[in-house]
Amino acid sequence: MNTFTIIFLIALIISSSIQFWLAKRQADYVADHRSAVPDAFKDKVSLAAHQKAADYTLAKLKLGNIDGALGIVVLLLLTLGGGINAAFGYWASLVETPLIAGVAATVTIFLILTVIEIPTSIYQTL
């Protein structure tokens, strides 16, 4: 493994760990304070509405963690797994012009990432 790969993995681990840790802290805080409306909002928000918002926040955080884990897997498959290289190699074998092959490979990767994000995007809007 080269130095850049090691630095990439360390940065990914640190970044992901911080994101998951912060999401857990927020989820714990929301869950702990779900049973009472904050004093500043007691006159404007009912307990049922506050609990509904807390439940929504917890569900959104859970989905965000799933989406984040899926994103890490896809990122590793594209980078260290050779997905980007495979896309560029595939298009380079079909198209003679390097510029067109590069654009086609970039569009292919973009489309794959978009298709992977569709299920969580649909779920978030429901």
Side-chain angles (χ1 to χ4, degrees), residues 92-109:
S93 69
L94 291 179
V95 180
E96 292 181 20
T97 310
L99 178 63
I100 294 174
V103 169
T106 304
V107 169
T108 301
I109 293 166

Side-chain angles (χ1 to χ4, degrees), residues 33-101:
H33 294 86
R34 182 184 180 277
S35 60
V37 178
D39 292 335
F41 301 105
K42 281 189 177 186
D43 297 336
K44 299 177 182 171
V45 178
S46 67
L47 179 60
H50 174 71
Q51 289 175 335
K52 185 177 178 180
D55 293 341
Y56 172 79
T57 300
L58 292 172
K60 188 173 178 180
L61 286 169
K62 184 176 180 180
L63 181 62
N65 285 337
I66 292 169
D67 195 34
L70 178 63
I72 291 169
V73 170
V74 170
L75 178 65
L76 289 173
L77 287 174
L78 287 174
T79 54
L80 301 182
I84 293 172
N85 193 31
F88 277 89
Y90 173 76
W91 283 107
S93 69
L94 291 179
V95 180
E96 292 181 20
T97 310
L99 178 63
I100 294 174

Side-chain angles (χ1 to χ4, degrees), residues 11-56:
L12 180 64
I13 290 168
I14 290 171
S15 172
S16 301
S17 297
I18 290 171
Q19 287 178 354
F20 288 126
W21 175 69
L22 288 173
K24 176 156 179 23
R25 282 182 48 115
Q26 183 179 7
D28 291 346
Y29 184 85
V30 169
D32 289 346
H33 294 86
R34 182 184 180 277
S35 60
V37 178
D39 292 335
F41 301 105
K42 281 189 177 186
D43 297 336
K44 299 177 182 171
V45 178
S46 67
L47 179 60
H50 174 71
Q51 289 175 335
K52 185 177 178 180
D55 293 341
Y56 172 79

